[in-house]
Amino acid sequence: MAEKAPKARVVAEAHEVDTFHPPQKMLAKHPSKPHLASLEEYQQMYKESITEPKQFWGRMARELLTWTKDFETVHSGSLEGGDNAWFLEGELNASYNCVDRHAFKDPNKVAIIYEADEPTDGRTLTYGELLRQVCKTAYVLKQMGVRKGDTVAIYLPMIPEALIAFLACSRIGAVHSVVFAGFSADSLRDRVIDARSKVVITSDEGKRGGKLIGTKKIVDDALKQCPDVSHVLVYKRTGADVPMTKGRDYWWHEEVDKWPAYLAPEPVNSEDPLFLLYTSGSTGKPKGVMHTTGGYLLGAAMTGKYVFDIHDGDKYFCGGDVGWITGHTYVVYAPLLLGVSTVVFEGTPAYPNFSRYWDIIDKHAVTQFYVAPTALRLLKRAGDHYVKNEMKHLRVLGSVGEPIAAEVWKWYFEVVGKEEAQIVDTYWQTETGSNVITPLAGVTPTKPGSASLPFFGIEPAIIDPVSGEEIHGNDVEGVLAFKQPWPSMARTVWGAHKRYMETYLDVYKGYYFTGDGAGRDHEGFYWIRGRVDDVVNVSGHRLSTAEIEAALIEHDAIAEAAVVGVADELTGQAVNAFVAIKDGNEGTDALRKEFVVQVRKSIGPFAAPKAVYIVPDLPKTRSGKIMRRILRKILAGEEDQLGDISTLSDPSVVNKIIAIVHDAK
Ligand code: 6R9
């Protein structure tokens, strides 16, 4: 890690950027007024959340969630101990909080706006209908032998049934483990085995951007090596002719038909797991990040309310996939906990053309829109003429997953939002559960490129990566950590608490370590710089270079591989691979293609290297450590800044690699 530690430098750009206040026109079209009246009110509440966290979170938990049994202890444990627990004696049910309480009040209120891949194929589901579907599906899972505490794997495209599956699990106290439907059979297999899922929920096929995705086939391939999976529930999305294994595979529509429309929710303890979600770290295999029920739900509801300023009647559209944390928290939990309508979009921003998002926003009078900068870069490049739409109900435009460049931020604000909606650049992670550094819509002034100020209960610290000491004051730069536990933080890595401690809590004792570099400017605003570990962020997807290297090495012809992230105009970062092949192989284009296919097969298409360089050897120290820093510099065209290469076991490989990269460009 020391190799890439960010240099201490002054947060210079902060002095030169404009500050944007919540637009007057946004306030003018607000259905009432923002939840907080002013920045001072935020500051007051923030102060309470830091100095009196138990009082603050106890109040919020009772206000925003419905408990079947009240809690007595708001919090126990510590960051040092890695044993944080929230709302200890409390009992609640996630599906009750997301569905029943709204269905009882107004069963005809729209819960899900399904915008299918083909613009004409969508439909809506009311809270009443959602409740019936969730109950029936919960019965099906029960009948398949799923019990409280069991994990269920979900491998579904962006369709309402994905949300129904989440909620059906939580209704019976089961733990969902969603695997993004872009992952390969091998990745799915690993996650099913690690989580010990005995039931898998999938569809015959998926449909995205006019293309079909063979989800059931991928599940079949994965399950060849998962002997413990007893049942597969298959939703018929396209009607494709897919093989069904007798005694294992069941059609969703046939099964749900057999059951009543109401099943009482199973109360669980606040600290019982709600879900696992696998994410990439700097080393080894993906980690099953575990979130618990009470704390996670509170984080989702709180940020939905205050960051996005969600009000009754809002139509909330998060473009993230339910296979990632953004989809978990902001397609499913936050909007449903607050009882508003959530848009579930199956397609892509480019299909049938680049106006698709804007058409959806107009069609459903969307009030909050939330997406990753990678999509915005694509749409900005496609041209402003695709943004003819009025989008007059938009109040909040969110950004997530990677740093947003100032010019993209301004485009979002001016061209998409017509200067009538506030941009919220929300920083957070799978592990934080919900937004942690973010503006509050209607309240916080913003600066393009800064995620601004900490959310309630988050006490950020900038740490000097060399000394390991916290750097106090403003105008400082270092790595980002948090000094206090908060309700929606991940509690453990599934089956690997030691790894959880080593990755997040032991790095700097008493702090939660994010893995990101950050600066705090002269006004206390935070600027996220990106990962300081071996995590690459491609189109907002978190990938581990170590994982991609491991995938490459599975190929027979590869002796050694090194993967690095390079800046990419469209995807933020792109994966580039350097491989040394075994004797007897020839470095042809066909072989290079095979290597790309290897990664697609082993991890998933989204992890495929954009470039593969076949090199005679990798730059290594005498002790055999691969110097990825040198590869990064070569790709950036900074051959003159390689530093001291005399420590390499064979310095002459550097010039050979430079020549190969030049030839390829
Ligand atoms: C929500 C999500 C987490 C990593 C995180 C950081 C990057 C997320 C960001 C951002 C700059 C933002 N990241 N939001 N960087 N500005 N607003 O993306 O979770 O997939 O776990 O990724 O994404 O590097 O550490 P996850």
Side-chain angles (χ1 to χ4, degrees):
M1 199 175 84
E3 194 195 325
K4 271 169 290 159
K7 281 191 214 82
R9 67 188 147 129
V10 176
V11 193
E13 60 266 62
H15 297 280
E16 293 143 28
V17 300
D18 305 329
T19 298
F20 291 73
H21 291 276
Q24 272 309 320
K25 285 188 180 156
M26 176 257 241
L27 299 171
K29 66 179 166 186
H30 200 287
S32 53
K33 52 186 189 324
H35 289 295
L36 298 184
S38 62
L39 188 64
E40 289 68 46
E41 195 178 349
Y42 153 75
Q43 284 158 341
Q44 242 168 33
M45 274 174 76
Y46 176 73
K47 195 167 161 216
E48 189 202 349
S49 76
I50 298 300
T51 56
E52 302 289 343
K54 291 187 182 181
Q55 172 186 304
F56 180 84
W57 288 117
R59 192 172 74 240
M60 291 300 163
R62 291 188 179 101
E63 199 176 296
L64 285 162
L65 301 176
T66 306
W67 300 81
T68 40
K69 184 174 166 229
D70 195 15
F71 50 87
E72 286 154 38
T73 317
V74 172
H75 173 252
S76 74
S78 66
L79 290 177
E80 288 90 340
D83 54 351
N84 290 282
W86 290 86
F87 318 117
L88 273 73
E89 305 79 9
E91 288 183 3
L92 75 172
N93 179 279
S95 84
Y96 179 89
N97 274 274
C98 290
V99 191
D100 303 45
R101 54 180 186 160
H102 313 305
F104 295 156
K105 247 207 296 201
D106 182 3
N108 296 323
K109 193 172 191 184
V110 171
I112 295 175
I113 299 170
Y114 168 44
E115 192 46 52
D117 193 44
E118 292 303 333
T120 47
D121 288 352
R123 67 193 146 94
T124 57
L125 259 91
T126 63
Y127 273 98
E129 180 62 18
L130 181 61
L131 177 58
R132 288 189 285 279
Q133 294 300 330
V134 168
C135 288
K136 283 168 167 285
T137 313
Y139 263 120
V140 174
L141 295 177
K142 261 181 106 144
Q143 186 240 355
M144 289 178 164
V146 179
R147 297 286 171 265
K148 190 172 177 172
D150 288 349
T151 50
V152 172
I154 298 177
Y155 190 75
L156 280 171
M158 285 290 289
I159 52 178
E161 287 67 26
L163 283 69
I164 294 170
F166 275 63
L167 297 162
C169 288
S170 74
R171 192 152 195 95
I172 59 172
V175 181
H176 55 73
S177 172
V178 181
V179 180
F180 171 58
F183 272 115
S184 68
D186 289 2
S187 294
L188 174 60
R189 173 203 60 205
D190 292 348
R191 286 158 176 75
V192 166
I193 292 174
D194 189 78
R196 300 216 179 104
S197 300
K198 289 196 198 68
V199 170
V200 180
I201 307 180
T202 190
S203 57
D204 51 355
E205 288 183 319
K207 209 163 169 276
R208 231 180 141 251
K211 295 196 190 89
L212 295 170
I213 305 148
T215 37
K216 174 65 163 62
K217 185 177 181 319
I218 294 166
V219 169
D220 284 339
D221 285 348
L223 295 194
K224 281 181 192 145
Q225 290 165 48
C226 302
D228 293 338
V229 171
S230 60
H231 293 82
V232 179
L233 185 62
V234 188
Y235 179 76
K236 189 174 273 200
R237 167 62 187 90
T238 63
D241 186 17
V242 293
M244 298 287 277
T245 302
K246 206 164 182 302
R248 188 196 71 180
D249 301 351
Y250 296 85
W251 287 111
W252 175 302
H253 60 278
E254 288 176 6
E255 294 309 304
V256 296
D257 242 17
K258 299 176 184 166
W259 301 98
Y262 184 77
L263 171 71
E266 170 94 35
V268 303
N269 183 270
S270 173
E271 279 298 307
D272 280 344
L274 177 63
F275 67 87
L276 306 182
L277 183 58
Y278 286 82
T279 189
S280 297
S282 49
T283 51
K285 53 179 190 146
K287 304 181 279 251
V289 169
M290 194 267 263
H291 279 287
T292 58
T293 309
Y296 170 82
L297 292 179
L298 183 57
M302 279 287 284
T303 49
K305 177 171 176 181
Y306 292 106
V307 174
F308 293 93
D309 190 41
I310 291 180
H311 284 253
D312 202 24
D314 279 351
K315 312 275 168 46
Y316 186 90
F317 176 15
C318 167
D321 192 286
V322 291
W324 308 107
I325 192 69
T326 301
H328 277 63
T329 310
Y330 298 102
V331 174
V332 186
Y333 287 108
L336 295 182
L337 282 166
L338 297 171
V340 298
S341 312
T342 183
V343 175
V344 174
F345 177 40
E346 186 176 32
T348 77
Y351 182 81
N353 60 57
F354 292 108
S355 299
R356 188 66 196 272
Y357 279 158
W358 324 132
D359 289 346
I360 295 173
I361 291 172
D362 264 348
K363 181 170 160 195
H364 303 293
V366 166
T367 43
Q368 288 92 352
F369 177 61
Y370 193 25
V371 80
T374 186
L376 299 174
R377 286 191 294 267
L378 177 84
L379 296 170
K380 178 172 182 284
R381 199 162 83 167
D384 292 1
H385 56 285
Y386 284 107
V387 207
K388 298 178 294 282
N389 313 53
E390 256 189 271
M391 300 185 272
K392 61 172 190 272
H393 296 92
L394 273 180
R395 304 199 311 270
V396 186
L397 291 170
S399 171
V400 58
E402 36 170 343
I404 180 167
E407 74 272 12
V408 178
W409 194 106
K410 286 185 179 149
W411 180 81
Y412 203 19
F413 180 63
E414 288 162 12
V415 179
V416 178
K418 332 272 189 235
E419 305 189 20
E420 293 182 9
Q422 180 163 357
I423 309 287
V424 292
D425 174 3
T426 63
Y427 167 79
W428 60 299
Q429 311 176 300
T430 304
E431 298 86 343
T432 68
S434 43
N435 306 150
V436 284
I437 296 187
T438 176
L440 309 185
V443 176
T444 315
T446 51
K447 307 179 190 186
S450 164
S452 80
L453 303 173
F455 191 68
F456 302 124
I458 300 295
E459 196 180 6
I462 299 289
I463 293 181
D464 178 341
V466 179
S467 69
E469 297 296 322
E470 186 177 340
I471 319 172
H472 297 275
N474 284 347
D475 245 330
V476 293
E477 193 83 28
V479 295
L480 180 65
F482 302 136
K483 265 200 260 196
Q484 284 198 23
W486 63 102
S488 72
M489 71 182 289
R491 301 293 190 266
T492 193
V493 170
W494 195 242
H497 195 65
K498 187 159 167 270
R499 194 165 166 208
Y500 169 81
M501 294 302 293
E502 286 165 1
T503 313
Y504 309 109
L505 303 182
D506 289 345
V507 184
Y508 304 107
K509 269 284 172 205
Y511 297 86
Y512 166 88
F513 175 53
T514 62
D516 285 300
R520 180 168 54 222
D521 74 15
H522 64 298
E523 291 176 320
F525 276 53
Y526 289 86
W527 298 75
I528 308 299
R529 307 288 179 210
R531 304 289 307 197
V532 295
D533 51 14
D534 290 319
V535 171
V536 189
N537 192 328
V538 181
S539 298
H541 294 161
R542 228 168 112 169
L543 299 168
S544 140
T545 55
E547 233 179 292
I548 301 171
E549 287 166 5
L552 284 166
I553 289 166
E554 283 172 33
H555 192 288
D556 283 342
I558 294 183
E560 271 186 310
V563 165
V564 295
V566 289
D568 187 276
E569 210 191 312
L570 210 54
T571 57
Q573 282 188 299
V575 169
N576 277 202
F578 291 84
V579 296
I581 54 180
K582 290 179 190 159
D583 287 346
N585 291 287
E586 230 183 297
T588 59
D589 277 349
L591 192 62
R592 243 193 299 274
K593 268 201 199 108
E594 271 187 41
F595 297 158
V596 175
V597 170
Q598 175 67 36
V599 177
R600 294 175 69 97
K601 187 180 157 295
S602 179
I603 301 176
F606 59 92
K610 192 170 177 188
V612 176
Y613 301 102
I614 296 179
V615 296
D617 199 0
L618 296 171
K620 275 177 289 184
T621 60
R622 285 188 203 114
S623 60
K625 193 173 179 315
I626 298 172
M627 299 291 279
R628 293 180 182 75
R629 177 176 55 84
I630 291 177
L631 299 172
R632 257 182 243 115
K633 290 269 179 207
I634 293 174
L635 287 172
E638 296 169 355
E639 293 96 348
D640 51 333
Q641 299 166 35
L642 293 181
D644 183 12
I645 58 167
S646 64
T647 56
L648 294 180
S649 64
D650 175 10
S652 77
V653 301
V654 172
N655 279 331
K656 292 179 196 154
I657 296 173
I658 292 174
I660 290 168
V661 170
H662 275 213
D663 277 357
K665 280 188 173 165

